[in-house]
Every structure is written in structure tokens, then in C-alpha cells.
Amino acid sequence: MSSEYSYDEQGQFYPFFVFTLTSIVTLPLTYSLLSPSTDATALAPRIKSSYQPEHADLVQSLRAAQKRKQRKLKRGIAVVLGWAMMAAMMYLIVTTQRTTAKLWNPYDILGVSESSSEKQIKSHYRKLGLKYHPDKARPDPAKNETAEMLNDKWVELTKAYQALTDEEVRNNYIQYGHPDGKQSFSIGIALPKFIVSEGNGKYVVLVYAVLLGVMLPYYVGSWWYGTQRMTKEGVLVESANNLFREYTEDMDEGDLVTALSGGKEFQEALKGDKAESGLSKIESRILAEGQVAPFAGGLLVQDKEKLEDLESGVRRKVLALLWAYLGRVELDDPALNSAKYMVAPIAQSLCGSFRAISLAFGNVAPILSSFYTSQRLIQAIPPKASPLFQLPHFTPAVVKAIEGDSRLHLTVQEFMDLPDERRRSLAVGKGLLSEEEYKTAVSVAQQLPYFRVEKAFFKVAGERFIIPSSLVTLVVKGRFIPPGSTDVPEVDELDLEDIDPAEDDLDALMGRKKTVKDANGNIVVEKESKPVSPPLTFAPYFSRDHSPKWHIFLSDSKQGKMAVQPFPFTTFDKPIFTDDGKPTYHMQTLKAQFAAPPQANAYSFAMHVVCDSYVGFDTKMEVTLNVEDASKAAAMAAEDEISEPEEDSLAGQMSALKGGSVATKPKRRKDEEDSDDESGTEEEEDSTSETNTDTEPES
């Protein structure tokens, strides 16, 4: 037995091969391209406002360019080419004529029916012998016959005759399907034969060389180099190294803005002629006299000195553009204004990298500076400037009219807490806001998601006391109350409790259900709802759509050190606004887990709740973590487990006479009393295991 390889000369098999390979790549790419986006910026609601700042077209064009980049044009082109290739192969599959292998059949070869007897077969064979026997047959030139063709025909007839009359040949036919016994088999390769035809080998080798020697190393190298040159925060390693060298323990927002200008990402954005063009014009504008700050760009004197200390080049221009963006300085040049809005998102991503560096050192001041700088980059507000600039149409003149000569700035919440008449008298007037602009500003303010902390406490799930090194949960209860909200409902005390799920309720432990108390104080289990995203940040000057994040961390106020790293929160468990935009005032629950200190003591921490997108929306409050000694906690738990005397016992009557508490027997239904199989105990209410940490925000 032998084997041989044959190529797809008729082109009837290779389309299946190519179609299969192409579909393996194209179908997953198509799914990833068309599947619904999970990006929060694509799913979150938006704050309703018709406000359009100056140069809104530039901001929108930069946002659109970023979205086009995120759509990954290369993937779309690959999908289109893949489907085109699949369509072409399907066309070939449908239109190519099939060639089927003909089975060897002795009856067909002899031209007799399968019901013929052996006598009839012999008679017919003799007749064929008179016609096709080599001694009697003569080639017919008119039919292009040759002697070899006639000989082959006679051999085929003889084999067919023997297969039907000779016992041994017949057995070969029955067992192997051929009178000569087991035959050789061929292996078909689903590639056209011209690929390996003589003279084409060099082209095939060239294709293999390009695929394996050029393209594969290029893509693997690009992937590897890309992963090595970027940090997990998504910035260049070289930029992170520059930020590390700029780090100091007492950095403020102005220092951080200067440090951010050293990012290498800016060199990619400001190539060639863009590197230094217009620098003198930008500096003259930002260093002009300001209305609410020494300089128009919002710089302080020390910031101006740092700018002037830099050599001319990309970094100096970037720093000047950042101050022009933060101060909302008009540059009267479309290219410069576009660059001004372009540098802010890059600086904001670098700010996240600096925060990661600050967390490694653990000093609170740089950590808070990174959050505050992020807020001001998103809102286009200089350091130390009033939070009121977050509202639409608020210019330096309007802010100065509202705040007067006060050295303390008003937050948006404080401004909106003023009576409406008082607000109008301060903000509306000649050279200030018009009535329509005032309404727009108030409308936006009433949609901003300000998170008001109602209660914060520590607990250990399933335990009544916190012991050293146990897994502690910091529970923060709060509500989203937009500035200027009226008729805010009172806090329901039941909403401030955090109920532990039952130990045998796997769904509740896994977060698929939620254990709460109803209006009557009974413990009920609710299905976990889908996470709710807050509205996208109202940031008309920031050239990216940004979803706000809230960060919670603990610090030691005395030492100025971080105690527990920040926990980010991007979604919440209950709706924040109704479909028509009204606040729901639902109680939200935020949880952060960390290990308790190894020693028993009462630990005082400063809890920071910081929003990375809005200025003045942060909360700082004192919280106390009481860690009990393990043996003391066990003794206290044992004392709590001693039941109170029942009211119908002698001890219960004595306790009642002394004014003590007694346990009353629960009333049982008659059908329960008649049953011996049911337990007579009632399930105790789950403990919230919370420590005594009632807190109030610091003023």
C-alpha cells in the first residue's frame, strides 16, 4: 500500500480552507466591534444644559477625534476585509463544479445488470471479447483510439469479469472494493497546485519570509515594547520617572502643574514647528495682570519663577499652555487655542501616575494635591481659584461680585444655599449675568452630584467586635444631594444600618442579593440591582468625556501619613436621579475593606471622601476605630449571650420588681404548638457589628 499527495487542481476544496481560517479571525473581531460598549462615558447620562463656552467647536472636535481613535479604525478595516474574503470564498464554493470520484463497479464496466446470472455474465463477456480482445480489436482513427487504449479497456473488462466469476478476485472486490485487493490512498491538500508548481517556489518562500521573518517579529516586538514603555496608569515610563524626580513631600497644586509639564507625551503632540511657535505670545497673555489673581493665567509668583527658569522648548510651551488653559486665557490663534485644550487631558492622565507615586510614599499632602489638581484640570480652574468658576457664564467679574473682598471662597453648595433673591442680587446685573445666564447656571448647579456623607463606621462581618488583624469594613452611608436642593427628606435611621447576610445565603454573600430592613424593621432580602453610573462630569472646557470617581481613604492627621489607600467608586447601588432629572435622595452604601491594626487600641483617623472631577465636593471627617483585645472581646461576647430571665419565672418576677428587663415568650400559633418537629426558637436579628463612630463633617 502506498500513498500520494494531490493538490486541489480544480479549486473545489481550498475555498473551504480559506473561508474557515478567515471566519476564525473575522467573527470575533466583528463581535468585539459591534458589541455594546462597557465604557462608562458611553453609557452614563449627561447633565442637561445648552451652555456652549467659547471655542466649543475646538473642544468638540478634540473629543470627536479621541472617539474616532477609540473606535480602532484598523479593527474596522480588518473586519471589512475579512467579510469580503469570506464572501469571495463563499461565491467560489457555490459556483465551482464538483468532481466526484467514481466507484469501481464490475456490473457497470461489463454493462450487465446486477441481477444477471453467472451464465449470462459469461455469455456477455464472450461477446465483448470478440470486440475488445487485443487480437481482434483494431484502433479506429476517427475516434482517436490507440492500441494502448484498447488494451486498457480489455484489462478493465477482464478484471470486472473475474470479480464476478473468480472466487479469489471476488473476495478482494467484496473486502476492498477492487479486484486487485487493497489500493493506495491519496491525501488531498486544499491549496491550488500552482503554489508549488515549478518556478513559483521562490514567491512562496518570499511570502513565508515576509510573514514569519518581518510581520510576526514586528507585531510581537511592537506589543512587547509597548507594554514595557507604558506604566499600568497608561503613561510612558519615562514620564513617570520624570514625575518621580519632581516629587517632594510638600507639593501643592502649582508645583504639580509644573511637574506635569515634563511628560514625554507632550513631545508627541507638539512635534516640529509646534514645539516653540507662539511661546512668547502665550507667556505675554498668561502673565498679564489678572482680575482675581496676580496673573491672568492664575499663576502665583513662585509659579512664574518656575516658568521662567525653564529653557525654551516643548516643556516651557506646555507649561505655558497649561496655565493658559487653567486661566481660560484667550490666545487669539486657532492653533494655539487647540493646543491649549489638547494638553489638559494628557496632564490629567499624568496626574493619575503622580498619584500612584505619591501613594508609594504615603504622604497625605501630595496625594491630596494630585486629586485637587485633577479637579482643576477637568474644570479649567487655576489653583486657589474659586469653585464658582465651575458654573456656566461665571467670569472673574461675576465671582468677584459674589465673593467681594473675602479671602475665603464660596463653594457651589454655599452659593446655592443662599436665598434665591440674595443670589440674584449678587450675580445678576450690568456687567454680570443676564437673567437667562443666571437660570442656566442655577440649572446646572442643581444637577451636580454632591455626595453628602451621613454616617461612617467600622465593622467586621458576622462579628460584634473588632479584634487585632481582623478584616475590617469601612462602611460609608451617604446621599447625593445636588446644591440648592429643597425639600430634602429626613434620613431614615433604618437606611443607616448595614445588615450582615445570613451565613448560608450564598447569593447574598456573593453580592447577588442585598440584606436590608423594611419600614417595619424586618430583615428582608432584595435582589441586587444593576450598578448605577453618575452623570458625566459637567466640564465644558475639558476635551474628553469624563466619568466622575469618588475616592475614600484614611489618614493619620498627626503624622500627615496615609493609613489606608484610596478605594475608588465609579458606580452606585441605587439610582441618583429619576428619568426626568430629579434627585432621588437614595441612601448609597460605599464599603472599603482593610486589615485592622495588630494592637488593641482606639485609633483616630481622618476619613477623606474626594471627588476627582468637581472642586469643593470633598468631605473630611474624623472617625474612630476601636480594636478590642481578642480575649476581652470573647468575654464580652459570652456575657452578651447570657439570656435574660423569662417573665413567668421567679427570677423574671424579681427582675421586674427591681425595674430590670425580662424576656417575654413569643406567642405561638396553635398549629406550631401541635408540631414536635418545628423549633420553638425565633431567629435573632442580624447584628450590624458597628463600632461607636458617629461622625460629623469638619467645618
Side-chain angles (χ1 to χ4, degrees):
M1 182 184 69
S2 61
S3 61
E4 60 179 13
Y5 293 90
S6 61
Y7 288 87
D8 187 18
E9 298 183 31
Q10 290 79 25
Q12 58 179 333
F13 296 121
Y14 85 86
F16 291 93
F17 175 72
V18 177
F19 180 87
T20 303
L21 285 183
T22 308
S23 63
I24 290 174
V25 177
T26 304
L27 293 180
L29 281 178
T30 304
Y31 176 78
S32 66
L33 197 65
L34 300 180
S35 58
S37 175
T38 57
D39 184 11
T41 59
L43 303 175
R46 294 178 179 270
I47 290 177
K48 299 175 182 177
S49 174
S50 59
Y51 173 68
Q52 293 289 329
E54 190 177 9
H55 304 306
D57 55 335
L58 291 177
V59 177
Q60 291 298 333
S61 64
L62 290 171
R63 288 180 181 175
Q66 178 65 16
K67 289 180 180 179
R68 286 195 298 270
K69 186 177 179 181
Q70 291 176 345
R71 289 192 191 111
K72 298 181 179 178
L73 184 61
K74 293 181 180 178
R75 183 182 300 180
I77 294 174
V79 167
V80 171
L81 293 177
W83 279 105
M85 178 66 73
M86 291 171 63
M89 293 301 104
M90 182 58 68
Y91 174 78
L92 291 178
I93 291 172
V94 173
T95 58
T96 302
Q97 187 176 2
R98 300 288 175 266
T99 58
T100 57
K102 190 175 182 181
L103 296 177
W104 194 86
N105 190 330
Y107 294 99
D108 291 341
I109 294 172
L110 291 174
V112 296
S113 65
E114 295 184 4
S115 61
S116 300
S117 63
E118 186 174 344
K119 183 178 179 180
Q120 291 174 329
I121 293 173
K122 290 181 179 180
S123 174
H124 186 70
Y125 177 69
R126 284 194 293 269
K127 292 178 181 178
L128 292 174
L130 297 175
K131 182 178 180 181
Y132 293 105
H133 194 279
D135 294 338
K136 297 180 179 180
R138 295 291 182 269
D140 185 359
K143 297 181 180 179
N144 294 326
E145 291 181 342
T146 63
E148 291 182 0
M149 293 173 61
L150 294 176
N151 287 337
D152 292 340
K153 178 68 173 178
W154 176 248
V155 171
E156 193 75 9
L157 291 172
T158 302
K159 288 181 179 180
Y161 173 71
Q162 291 175 347
L164 298 178
T165 57
D166 186 273
E167 189 66 26
E168 182 179 352
V169 178
R170 186 181 183 88
N171 289 337
N172 286 338
Y173 169 65
I174 293 173
Q175 187 173 357
Y176 302 110
H178 199 277
D180 294 335
K182 187 178 291 187
Q183 299 294 297
S184 63
F185 64 93
S186 62
I187 299 175
I189 300 177
L191 291 174
K193 192 174 181 179
F194 71 84
I195 290 181
V196 292
S197 298
E198 186 176 355
N200 293 339
K202 55 185 178 182
Y203 301 112
V204 175
V205 172
L206 180 62
V207 171
Y208 274 104
V210 171
L211 290 176
L212 301 180
V214 179
M215 295 185 66
L216 182 61
Y218 171 77
Y219 283 111
V220 173
S222 299
W223 168 78
W224 175 253
Y225 179 68
T227 58
Q228 294 301 305
R229 67 194 293 260
M230 303 291 289
T231 67
K232 65 179 182 180
E233 288 80 26
V235 303
L236 294 173
V237 173
E238 193 173 356
S239 298
N241 291 337
N242 292 341
L243 292 172
F244 179 81
R245 287 190 285 268
E246 297 274 355
Y247 176 86
T248 60
E249 294 184 1
D250 56 350
M251 290 187 75
D252 60 11
E253 294 99 299
D255 298 331
L256 183 50
V257 171
T258 302
L260 295 178
S261 64
K264 290 297 179 181
E265 287 82 353
F266 295 114
Q267 294 184 358
E268 293 290 327
L270 299 175
K271 293 180 180 178
D273 297 338
K274 297 180 180 179
E276 297 185 31
S277 61
L279 177 58
S280 58
K281 183 176 184 179
I282 302 171
E283 290 187 355
S284 64
R285 295 295 177 93
I286 64 175
L287 296 178
E289 184 179 356
Q291 293 182 333
V292 293
F295 303 104
L299 300 79
L300 300 179
V301 175
Q302 59 266 33
D303 300 321
K304 174 178 177 290
E305 294 174 353
K306 291 179 180 179
L307 173 65
E308 293 174 342
D309 288 342
L310 295 176
E311 296 180 0
S312 296
V314 174
R315 181 171 184 183
R316 182 162 178 168
K317 182 176 180 179
V318 168
L319 183 55
L321 287 171
L322 284 174
W323 286 117
Y325 168 79
L326 292 171
R328 304 180 186 177
V329 177
E330 174 57 46
L331 300 178
D332 293 327
D333 185 304
L336 293 179
N337 280 324
S338 179
K340 175 181 71 175
Y341 294 117
M342 178 267 297
V343 297
I346 300 175
Q348 204 268 339
S349 64
L350 291 169
C351 193
S353 178
F354 178 82
R355 185 178 308 129
I357 296 172
S358 302
L359 292 176
F361 285 96
N363 296 301
V364 174
I367 296 173
L368 289 176
S369 292
S370 69
F371 284 119
Y372 298 156
T373 304
S374 173
Q375 296 170 356
R376 295 181 179 276
L377 284 170
I378 291 174
Q379 295 295 335
I381 302 176
K384 316 300 182 185
S386 173
L388 295 180
F389 282 108
Q390 297 173 105
L391 299 179
H393 303 296
F394 269 54
T395 61
V398 176
V399 173
K400 192 171 183 179
I402 294 173
E403 295 183 342
D405 296 328
S406 175
R407 303 179 100 183
L408 296 176
H409 295 303
L410 283 179
T411 64
V412 176
Q413 301 92 292
E414 292 169 340
F415 173 70
M416 293 299 294
D417 286 341
L418 297 175
D420 185 64
E421 292 183 2
R422 175 63 176 161
R423 292 199 306 260
R424 288 177 185 271
S425 65
L426 292 173
V428 178
K430 186 177 180 180
L432 303 176
L433 298 181
S434 65
E435 188 65 28
E436 192 64 32
E437 291 173 340
Y438 172 78
K439 290 180 180 178
T440 300
V442 170
S443 173
V444 169
Q446 291 176 340
Q447 299 178 70
L448 299 180
Y450 170 59
F451 184 76
R452 179 186 294 177
V453 177
E454 303 292 351
K455 186 178 182 181
F457 56 90
F458 300 95
K459 62 177 287 187
V460 174
E463 302 292 338
R464 299 194 62 184
F465 303 98
I466 299 174
I467 62 176
S469 301
S470 59
L471 186 61
V472 179
T473 301
L474 169 62
V475 182
V476 179
K477 296 280 187 174
R479 299 184 293 176
F480 282 99
I481 302 179
S485 297
T486 57
D487 300 326
V488 180
E490 294 293 328
V491 175
D492 188 346
E493 292 298 324
L494 295 177
D495 291 337
L496 296 178
E497 298 185 20
D498 189 66
I499 310 300
D500 291 331
E503 294 182 359
D504 58 348
D505 192 342
L506 182 61
D507 288 338
L509 292 172
M510 295 295 292
R512 291 189 288 267
K513 291 181 181 179
K514 192 174 180 184
T515 307
V516 296
K517 284 186 177 181
D518 60 14
N520 298 322
N522 299 320
I523 297 176
V524 295
V525 177
E526 296 179 347
K527 257 190 175 181
E528 189 72 9
S529 57
K530 291 183 178 179
V532 178
S533 297
L536 292 180
T537 304
F538 179 77
Y541 298 94
F542 194 64
S543 59
R544 297 286 188 276
D545 285 333
H546 183 77
S547 183
K549 295 180 182 178
W550 281 259
H551 301 261
I552 298 178
F553 69 98
L554 302 179
S555 67
D556 186 337
S557 299
K558 296 179 180 179
Q559 298 182 1
K561 290 285 187 177
M562 177 187 64
V564 177
Q565 289 206 0
F567 287 82
F569 297 90
T570 56
T571 58
F572 300 87
D573 51 356
K574 294 181 180 178
I576 301 173
F577 293 96
T578 61
D579 294 337
D580 56 355
K582 295 181 180 179
T584 60
Y585 306 116
H586 286 317
M587 187 66 68
Q588 309 287 350
T589 303
L590 308 180
K591 294 184 179 181
Q593 287 187 327
F594 60 95
Q599 302 294 331
N601 203 345
Y603 296 89
S604 294
F605 297 110
M607 185 187 74
H608 303 266
V609 182
V610 185
C611 177
D612 73 341
S613 304
Y614 294 104
V615 180
F617 278 34
D618 311 321
T619 300
K620 180 183 178 182
M621 59 186 359
E622 295 293 328
V623 293
T624 302
L625 172 61
N626 293 315
V627 180
E628 304 288 351
D629 186 77
S631 58
K632 182 180 178 182
M636 295 171 66
E639 290 179 5
D640 291 342
E641 290 177 357
I642 300 177
S643 60
E644 296 175 341
E646 295 183 355
E647 61 180 350
D648 58 351
S649 65
L650 179 60
Q653 294 175 6
M654 294 292 292
S655 178
L657 291 174
K658 293 178 182 180
S661 61
V662 296
T664 59
K665 282 188 176 181
K667 294 182 180 180
R668 300 173 61 189
R669 296 181 311 194
K670 190 173 185 312
D671 56 349
E672 291 180 349
E673 294 175 355
D674 295 340
S675 173
D676 293 333
D677 297 333
E678 295 180 354
S679 171
T681 62
E682 289 191 347
E683 189 173 331
E684 291 187 356
E685 194 174 280
D686 289 350
S687 170
T688 59
S689 307
E690 60 188 63
T691 62
N692 183 18
T693 56
D694 291 338
T695 55
E696 293 294 335
E698 289 186 354
S699 58

